[in-house]
Amino acid sequence: MDYTEVLQVQFNTEFLSLEQIVNQFFKQHNTTRAPRSMKYRSLLLFENEEQKSEMLQKLEEIKHIHGNSYTSVEPLHSFYEAGLHHQKYYLQRWKPVYEKWQDLHVEKESLVESTLAARLNGLSKGCGSLEELMQEYPDSAYDSLYSVIREVSENLKEHSEDMCGLD
């Protein structure tokens, strides 16, 4: 298969600049590590010459700092949405929470389109907090979901405390 897994970011430049996104991109992964395969290479895709120029400029800065970079900057020719089994990867593996989310969202919104699912996916990896999620989604319809998250979190905490006590 000749493809690369990517994340498409749609953003409003009134709130977030391409520079901020590119800076975050380079902040969150090691661009100096050689890719394991075409599928998992480091890649920035541009839609126009302005984006290309900004991405290449940042890439040169990274090369100047680190001496090397395996990141490529290429034009976006097409984007194919991943299959459902690849969507919200961490949420789907957070089984009790994912199952409760499914119970609450049957035919209401898809896993791909749901902002709540995106927030849960992040929360499963420690991005954000349950309190922030509850403020963003204060609807009592989500109380059972929040209860499951609390329960799972407590179980994980107890398990990690048990593991920490072992010599």
Side-chain angles (χ1 to χ4, degrees), residues 1-6 35-43 85-86:
M1 294 183 185
D2 190 18
Y3 67 92
T4 302
E5 289 189 5
V6 298
R36 293 181 289 164
S37 68
M38 178 84 161
K39 183 177 174 182
Y40 298 115
R41 66 192 176 119
S42 179
L43 175 66
H85 64 285
H86 289 290

Side-chain angles (χ1 to χ4, degrees), residues 43-59:
L43 175 66
L44 288 167
L45 297 168
F46 61 87
E47 293 181 322
N48 58 50
E49 289 301 313
E50 182 181 332
Q51 290 177 351
K52 177 183 178 181
S53 176
E54 196 162 333
M55 290 173 182
L56 287 172
Q57 180 181 354
K58 185 62 179 182
L59 182 57

Side-chain angles (χ1 to χ4, degrees), residues 86-145:
H86 289 290
Q87 299 292 337
K88 311 304 185 280
Y89 178 85
Y90 297 109
L91 172 57
Q92 288 194 56
R93 278 138 192 86
W94 204 16
K95 293 290 186 197
V97 175
Y98 179 60
E99 289 167 3
K100 179 52 71 176
W101 178 84
Q102 285 182 307
D103 289 345
L104 295 171
H105 287 88
V106 175
E107 299 180 352
K108 290 182 185 173
E109 49 189 317
S110 77
L111 185 61
V112 177
E113 303 282 328
S114 172
T115 302
L116 176 57
R119 299 290 192 273
L120 290 168
N121 192 59
L123 185 61
S124 72
K125 292 302 289 175
C127 299
S129 68
L130 177 56
E131 292 72 28
E132 291 170 334
L133 189 68
M134 292 170 68
Q135 286 178 348
E136 189 173 350
Y137 295 91
D139 191 327
S140 62
Y142 296 120
D143 287 350
S144 60
L145 176 65

Side-chain angles (χ1 to χ4, degrees), residues 56-87:
L56 287 172
Q57 180 181 354
K58 185 62 179 182
L59 182 57
E60 287 306 312
E61 290 174 26
I62 294 298
K63 286 179 180 178
H64 181 73
I65 293 167
H66 296 288
N68 188 18
S69 175
Y70 287 96
T71 299
S72 298
V73 176
E74 300 174 13
L76 172 64
H77 295 295
S78 55
F79 179 85
Y80 300 96
E81 196 170 273
L84 268 183
H85 64 285
H86 289 290
Q87 299 292 337

